Amino acid sequence: LSELLDLDDGIRRLAEEDVESAELVKLRLFAGLSVTDAGRALGMARSTAYENWDYARTWFTAFLNDSRS
């Protein structure tokens, strides 16, 4: 349960910085879409979707490391 709450908190905080990346994360994790398909659903170019996904993964790594400290 705490992991889901951390994920929800992380997505909300990410959205404060980058709404598109947060939406991409939601589609990847909750709808099971590929990066390409999630990006397409959001009207992103494939390269933009991958850039946003890479950013979100890096952002979440830092967020989770900070929350565990």
Side-chain angles (χ1 to χ4, degrees):
L1 179 62
S2 68
E3 292 163 350
L4 287 176
L5 294 174
D6 287 345
L7 177 61
D8 181 59
D9 185 38
I11 291 171
R12 282 188 287 113
R13 289 185 187 196
L14 176 60
E16 291 172 5
E17 293 183 31
D18 188 336
V19 173
E20 287 183 334
S21 291
E23 292 301 315
L24 189 72
V25 168
K26 289 179 192 178
L27 289 174
R28 292 275 293 134
L29 297 180
F30 301 124
L33 296 180
S34 68
V35 174
T36 301
D37 289 341
R40 187 177 301 128
L42 295 170
M44 293 178 191
R46 183 179 182 276
S47 60
T48 301
Y50 274 93
E51 288 171 8
N52 286 4
W53 179 245
D54 287 343
Y55 172 77
R57 286 183 4 192
T58 302
W59 188 94
F60 260 97
T61 298
F63 171 77
L64 293 174
N65 286 337
D66 288 345
S67 69
R68 292 179 183 151
S69 299

